[in-house]
Amino acid sequence: MKVTPINDYKDIHQDKETVLVLGYFDALHRGHKVLFDKARQIADEKQLEVAVLTFNESPQLTFQRYTDDLLLQHLRDVVIFLKPMAQINFT
């Protein structure tokens, strides 16, 4: 699993066609696993890579005042949880 911090669009490098799973995975659950499994299935069928793009804070922080409940898990904890789910390059 490769983790790449992205601070700017210039940090994104796509070498291969990719299935992108995009979301704020703050409270990981079975629904997220279904999403990752589907991405893996599509990628395998079409011989593509899989990448996950997540955020270290809730996108809601852009639109409302900060409250503690917007940050349910630290990004490090999310990566640790996701690692065994599938062989995916998490970005």
Side-chain angles (χ1 to χ4, degrees), residues 8-45:
D8 187 276
Y9 74 94
K10 296 174 187 171
D11 295 333
I12 300 172
H13 304 282
Q14 179 184 351
D15 298 327
K16 299 178 182 178
E17 293 291 315
T18 303
V19 176
L20 178 65
V21 182
L22 174 66
Y24 177 56
F25 304 109
D26 58 338
L28 296 164
H29 50 73
R30 280 183 251 166
H32 290 132
K33 176 144 179 27
V34 170
L35 181 65
F36 300 132
D37 290 345
K38 184 64 174 178
R40 170 54 56 203
Q41 176 191 348
I42 292 168
D44 289 347
E45 289 171 2

Side-chain angles (χ1 to χ4, degrees), residues 18-87:
T18 303
V19 176
L20 178 65
V21 182
L22 174 66
Y24 177 56
F25 304 109
D26 58 338
L28 296 164
H29 50 73
R30 280 183 251 166
H32 290 132
K33 176 144 179 27
V34 170
L35 181 65
F36 300 132
D37 290 345
K38 184 64 174 178
R40 170 54 56 203
Q41 176 191 348
I42 292 168
D44 289 347
E45 289 171 2
K46 298 185 178 200
Q47 298 180 346
L48 304 173
E49 296 289 317
V50 176
V52 174
L53 178 60
T54 190
F55 309 92
N56 61 354
E57 58 187 26
S58 171
Q60 288 180 338
L61 288 173
T62 303
F63 304 107
Q64 68 185 49
R65 282 188 184 204
Y66 170 80
T67 59
D68 288 339
D69 62 325
L70 293 177
L71 301 175
L72 297 179
Q73 285 185 306
H74 188 278
L75 182 59
R76 178 187 63 243
D77 299 330
V78 173
V79 170
I80 290 169
F81 180 84
L82 290 174
K83 198 172 191 178
M85 281 192 181
Q87 298 206 356

